[in-house]
């Protein structure tokens, strides 16, 4: 088998695939953060915990109610999204108009409470969650083995990202979201129920996190701290892409996953930090992010 | 003007807007000190005054955009002092803000179609494009790439689509070329002939004088004078006193 730059093709492709999968999670999670930040001006630090809730919801649905993966893929985001709606309606709404920092503190505290409660109840170690029977196994592509479930994760993530992008850029509802991001008061003066729009946006962003959590359950274990490990990297991705940019968060998420995967091949020691190095460089050269509007 | 004026048969004795003892606050500062005014259906009244006299704040208070306000604002028979802006809009009010408020992430047509329809009887998109042909040509341009005059046309046009028949217009001629100002005067004349009720905040007295039925002159958050259109000459001293810089 041929080598590329002294690296066996299997190794390179394997890491590219892992990068693409991680990138899919980064994309869905940073997309949710972007939707929330756009309309609420809140950096949702509870996003990682909500991703974890999605995975746990899938685990509960399977083990307590006997609802399989496919049902969980729909139900878990709805349940966790509804939880997000309650959070917005009764907590975050009270912070409208005050400094960003309060929203950050509230959501960070919320994440600590959620994760602490789950650690207390289930312990820090993970619960296994099997991939659905339809997606076990894989295919030998000649240069690498592609597990079906991993291919599904990438496809499902891209589908949801594309759908969200179309919703925001090509529909009337999306026009409300975009206008509400720019000037919510004026949009409300035109007769749009902006408080409701904000609640929906938060619920949707949270549901996206939960969706990623369900996708992640069979790959990583379902554990209380699965989100806190991931979310720091996702925040770096959001900073690189530009706060609030929809297309930017999707593309940056995928790209950073791939960059991370390739770094594992060529300089493994740097793979855990490469995204933060990219973030630092972007902050110096384009402080508003690659896709953000320069202030 | 290519759109033929429709002579409407609105009942001009109906009070569309009545403001009584309106006080408004921005945080600690008290900016409106008991405004009283009323506007009948089909009337065009102006709010004149120097910068900081409270004209824009009065419009924002009517629209519910000024959060701290007390007193009474009766719009079409409903007291809206405690109402949220989106509910007020659905009573049939269209608002054109001073900064125009064109959304940069929306193209011209999306901007035009953005405000929800609040009542029947609004203009169709075709009718609007006929009235403002420039907007038709640039319908796919980003909203904020338009010239200042075109942005103002767009800000006006988008509230005509919604069926709102009470229009609150803030400084619509500010910074525009005379030819555009004339065009806006034609538009307002047409809207008046169709029975729209219009509250116009203006700096440009020469623009407002021939259009308005009445002028309210504001100073330091008070209404200091009311001048009917037939009193312009006899009360000219009012304008000298309160409007000259």
């Amino acid at each position: 088998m041929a080598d590329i730059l002294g690296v066996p093709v299997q190794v390179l492709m394997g890491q590219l695939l892992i990068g693409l999968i991680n990138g899919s999670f980064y994309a869905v999670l940073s997309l949710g953060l972007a939707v929330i930040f756009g309309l609420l001006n809140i950096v949702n630090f509870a996003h990682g915990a909500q991703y974890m809730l999605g995975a746990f919801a899938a685990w509960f649905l399977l083990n307590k109610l006997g609802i399989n993966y496919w049902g969980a893929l729909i139900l878990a985001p709805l349940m966790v999204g509804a939880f997000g709606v309650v959070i917005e309606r009764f907590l975050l709404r009270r912070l409208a108009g005050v400094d960003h920092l309060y929203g950050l503190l509230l959501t960070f505290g919320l994440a600590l409470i959620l994760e602490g409660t789950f650690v207390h109840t289930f312990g820090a170690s993970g619960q296994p969650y099997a991939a659905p029977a339809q997606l076990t196994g894989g295919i030998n592509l000649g240069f690498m083995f592609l597990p079906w479930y991993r291919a599904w994760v990438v496809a499902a993530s891209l589908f949801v990202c594309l759908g969200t992008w179309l919703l925001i850029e090509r529909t009337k509802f999306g026009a409300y979201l975009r206008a509400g991001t720019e000037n919510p008061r004026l949009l409300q003066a035109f007769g749009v129920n902006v408080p409701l729009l904000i609640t929906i946006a938060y619920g949707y962003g949270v549901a996206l996190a939960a969706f990623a959590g369900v996708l992640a359950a069979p790959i990583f274990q379902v554990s209380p701290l699965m989100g806190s490990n991931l979310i720091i990297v996702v925040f770096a991705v959001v900073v690189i892409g530009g706060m609030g940019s929809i297309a930017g968060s999707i593309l940056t998420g995928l790209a950073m996953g791939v960059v991370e995967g390739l770094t594992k091949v060529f300089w493994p020691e740097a793979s855990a930090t490469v995204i933060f190095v990219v973030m630092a460089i972007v902050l110096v050269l384009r402080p508003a992010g690659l896709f953000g509007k320069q202030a | 003007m290519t759109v033929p004026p429709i002579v409407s048969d609105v009942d001009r004795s109906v009070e569309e807007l009545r403001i009584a003892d309106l006080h408004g606050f921005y945080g600690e500062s008290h900016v409106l000190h008991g405004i009283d005014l009323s506007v009948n259906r089909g009337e065009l009244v102006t709010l004149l005054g120097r910068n900081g006299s409270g004209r824009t704040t009065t419009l924002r208070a009517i629209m519910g955009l000024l959060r701290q306000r007390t007193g009474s604002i009766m719009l079409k028979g409903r007291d809206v002092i405690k109402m949220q802006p989106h509910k007020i809009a659905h009573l049939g009010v269209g608002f054109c803000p001073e900064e125009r408020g064109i959304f940069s992430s929306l193209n011209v047509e999306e901007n035009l179609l953005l405000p929800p329809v609040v009542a029947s009887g609004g203009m169709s998109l075709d009718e609007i494009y006929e009235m403002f042909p420039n907007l038709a040509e640039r319908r796919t341009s980003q909203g904020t790439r338009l010239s200042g005059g075109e942005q103002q046309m767009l800000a006006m046009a988008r509230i005509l689509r919604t069926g709102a028949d009470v229009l609150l217009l803030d400084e619509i001629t500010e910074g525009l070329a005379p030819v555009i100002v004339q065009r806006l005067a034609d538009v307002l004349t047409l809207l008046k002939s169709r029975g729209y009720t219009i509250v116009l905040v203006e700096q440009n007295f020469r623009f407002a004088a021939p259009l308005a039925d009445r002028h309210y002159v504001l100073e330091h958050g008070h209404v200091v004078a009311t001048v009917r259109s037939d009193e312009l000459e006899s009360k000219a001293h009012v304008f000298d006193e309160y409007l000259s810089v």
Side-chain angles (χ1 to χ4, degrees), chain B residues 89-133:
Chain B
H90 280 274
L91 294 176
V93 189
F95 176 52
C96 183
E98 187 176 11
E99 71 284 359
R100 297 180 190 132
I102 302 303
F103 294 97
S104 67
S105 54
L106 275 61
N107 68 26
V108 168
E109 191 150 299
E110 283 177 321
N111 265 288
L112 207 45
L113 296 176
L114 183 76
V117 170
V118 295
S120 59
M123 294 185 190
S124 68
L125 204 53
D126 289 342
E127 220 176 336
I128 283 170
Y129 280 145
E130 205 175 321
M131 204 165 168
F132 304 104

Side-chain angles (χ1 to χ4, degrees), chain A residues 96-97 168-172 174-176 178-195 293, chain B residues 63-67 84-86 89-90 93 95 97 99-106 110 113-116 118 158-159:
Chain A
I168 291 175
E169 297 295 332
R170 293 285 182 271
T171 67
K172 184 69 190 267
Y176 285 159
R178 279 176 283 148
T181 297
E182 270 187 64
N183 191 342
R185 296 295 284 166
L186 182 59
L187 184 67
Q188 196 174 2
F190 284 152
V192 176
N193 189 342
V194 171
K293 290 191 184 71
Chain B
M63 208 60 246
L65 293 172
L66 181 74
R67 286 198 174 93
Q84 293 241 62
H86 62 274
H90 280 274
V93 189
F95 176 52
E99 71 284 359
R100 297 180 190 132
I102 302 303
F103 294 97
S104 67
S105 54
L106 275 61
E110 283 177 321
L113 296 176
L114 183 76
V118 295
R158 69 180 168 188
I159 55 175

Side-chain angles (χ1 to χ4, degrees), chain A:
Chain A
M1 186 56 92
D3 289 2
I4 296 175
L5 298 173
V7 176
V9 172
Q10 290 97 323
V11 174
L12 190 65
M13 288 300 164
Q15 287 301 333
L16 262 182
L17 176 66
I18 290 176
L20 214 51
I21 288 168
N22 285 336
S24 303
F25 288 119
Y26 298 160
V28 175
L29 289 170
S30 61
L31 177 62
L33 283 175
V35 170
I36 292 170
F37 181 79
L39 220 54
L40 283 85
N41 257 315
I42 277 179
V43 180
N44 185 32
F45 261 78
H47 216 65
Q50 287 152 346
Y51 160 84
M52 175 273 289
L53 285 183
F56 262 100
W59 185 84
F60 271 110
L61 287 170
L62 183 66
N63 290 294
K64 307 290 174 195
L65 300 175
I67 295 172
N68 70 9
Y69 174 86
W70 302 106
L73 209 52
I74 306 289
L75 284 177
L78 287 177
M79 289 158 57
V80 182
F83 172 70
V85 164
V86 173
I87 300 285
E88 194 286 327
R89 183 65 191 75
F90 293 100
L91 296 175
L92 291 174
R93 180 167 296 184
R94 295 166 190 276
L95 300 180
V98 301
D99 195 277
H100 284 8
L101 207 55
Y102 290 92
L104 191 153
L105 285 173
L106 179 78
T107 53
F108 187 59
L110 205 61
L112 292 179
I113 292 171
L114 287 171
E115 287 170 353
T117 307
F118 275 74
V119 168
H120 181 76
T121 314
F122 298 97
S125 66
Q127 316 283 336
Y129 186 95
Q134 298 89 333
L135 294 175
T136 49
I139 183 174
N140 194 341
L141 298 174
F143 54 87
M144 65 172 287
F145 181 77
L146 176 65
W148 287 126
Y149 188 76
R150 312 250 158 166
W152 156 252
V153 166
V154 175
S157 303
L158 288 179
F159 179 77
V160 164
C161 286
L162 187 68
T164 304
W165 182 82
L166 284 173
L167 174 74
I168 291 175
E169 297 295 332
R170 293 285 182 271
T171 67
K172 184 69 190 267
F173 180 74
Y176 285 159
L177 285 179
R178 279 176 283 148
T181 297
E182 270 187 64
N183 191 342
R185 296 295 284 166
L186 182 59
L187 184 67
Q188 196 174 2
F190 284 152
V192 176
N193 189 342
V194 171
L196 179 65
L197 197 64
I198 287 175
T199 305
I200 293 171
Y202 190 75
Y204 187 72
V206 171
L208 279 177
F211 179 79
V214 181
L215 284 182
I219 295 184
F220 313 108
Q221 288 197 315
V222 177
S223 77
L225 298 177
M226 63 191 286
S228 64
N229 304 330
L230 189 59
I231 203 66
I232 303 300
V233 177
V234 173
F235 277 120
V237 168
V238 170
V239 171
I240 294 167
M243 284 308 261
S245 161
I246 300 301
S249 61
I250 299 171
L251 294 174
T252 313
L254 285 171
M256 286 306 110
V258 171
V259 165
E260 201 180 40
L262 289 179
T263 311
K264 274 194 191 120
V265 177
F266 295 104
W267 189 13
E269 297 83 353
S271 65
T273 44
V274 62
I275 289 180
F276 299 99
V277 174
V278 173
M279 180 182 86
I281 295 169
V282 167
L283 281 178
V284 170
L285 299 178
R286 274 183 74 91
L290 295 177
F291 298 86
K293 290 191 184 71
Q294 301 286 348

Side-chain angles (χ1 to χ4, degrees), chain B residues 181-212:
Chain B
V181 172
Q182 183 51 50
R183 181 128 182 78
L184 286 168
D186 293 342
V187 170
L188 288 189
T189 307
L190 175 79
L191 294 177
K192 228 183 121 177
S193 74
R194 290 191 174 192
Y196 282 82
T197 306
I198 300 171
V199 181
L200 182 69
V201 164
E202 256 312 323
Q203 286 280 34
N204 184 346
F205 180 63
R206 290 179 50 195
F207 169 77
L211 297 168

Side-chain angles (χ1 to χ4, degrees), chain B:
Chain B
M1 184 89 353
T2 49
V3 183
I6 299 165
V7 180
S8 65
D9 49 359
V10 294
D11 181 354
R12 288 171 194 272
S13 66
V14 175
E15 206 169 61
E16 205 76 318
L17 172 69
R18 166 168 286 281
I19 297 178
D21 196 31
L22 175 66
H23 290 258
F25 308 81
Y26 283 117
E28 295 286 292
S29 67
H30 189 174
V31 285
L32 299 180
H33 299 263
I35 302 276
D36 294 287
L37 60 83
S38 72
V39 186
N40 282 3
R41 189 173 293 168
E43 258 192 323
L44 192 158
V45 308
T46 68
L47 307 184
L48 303 173
R50 297 191 179 95
N51 279 335
S53 58
R55 301 162 305 154
T56 293
T57 309
T58 303
L59 285 198
R60 291 175 54 85
I62 299 169
M63 208 60 246
L65 293 172
L66 181 74
R67 286 198 174 93
Q68 296 166 273
R69 58 197 193 281
T70 65
S72 143
I73 302 173
M74 300 295 290
L75 240 170
K76 303 191 177 193
R78 301 274 302 273
D79 194 345
V80 301
I81 196 85
K82 291 199 160 65
M83 235 184 242
Q84 293 241 62
H86 62 274
K87 297 256 173 69
I88 296 173
H90 280 274
L91 294 176
V93 189
F95 176 52
C96 183
E98 187 176 11
E99 71 284 359
R100 297 180 190 132
I102 302 303
F103 294 97
S104 67
S105 54
L106 275 61
N107 68 26
V108 168
E109 191 150 299
E110 283 177 321
N111 265 288
L112 207 45
L113 296 176
L114 183 76
V117 170
V118 295
S120 59
M123 294 185 190
S124 68
L125 204 53
D126 289 342
E127 220 176 336
I128 283 170
Y129 280 145
E130 205 175 321
M131 204 165 168
F132 304 104
N134 291 23
L135 298 182
E137 282 166 34
R138 309 207 52 185
R139 61 175 80 192
T140 57
S141 303
Q142 186 192 344
T144 44
R145 300 230 167 188
L146 300 183
S147 71
E150 287 169 330
Q151 286 193 28
Q152 190 61 65
M153 300 290 176
L154 178 55
M156 284 284 292
R158 69 180 168 188
I159 55 175
L160 299 179
R161 217 197 92 256
T162 65
D165 57 3
V166 175
L167 307 182
L168 311 178
L169 312 177
D170 197 351
E171 297 274 12
I172 57 172
T173 63
E174 197 178 20
L176 298 182
V179 57
I180 311 252
V181 172
Q182 183 51 50
R183 181 128 182 78
L184 286 168
D186 293 342
V187 170
L188 288 189
T189 307
L190 175 79
L191 294 177
K192 228 183 121 177
S193 74
R194 290 191 174 192
Y196 282 82
T197 306
I198 300 171
V199 181
L200 182 69
V201 164
E202 256 312 323
Q203 286 280 34
N204 184 346
F205 180 63
R206 290 179 50 195
F207 169 77
L211 297 168
D213 298 301
R214 258 167 325 119
H215 304 275
Y216 286 100
V217 182
L218 273 67
E219 173 93 342
H220 300 311
H222 300 270
V223 173
V224 289
T226 309
V227 181
R228 289 198 313 273
S229 58
D230 58 4
E231 298 173 320
L232 287 179
E233 281 183 35
S234 61
K235 290 196 176 174
H237 63 278
V238 170
F239 300 113
D240 293 338
E241 186 180 346
Y242 291 107
L243 302 185
S244 58
V245 181

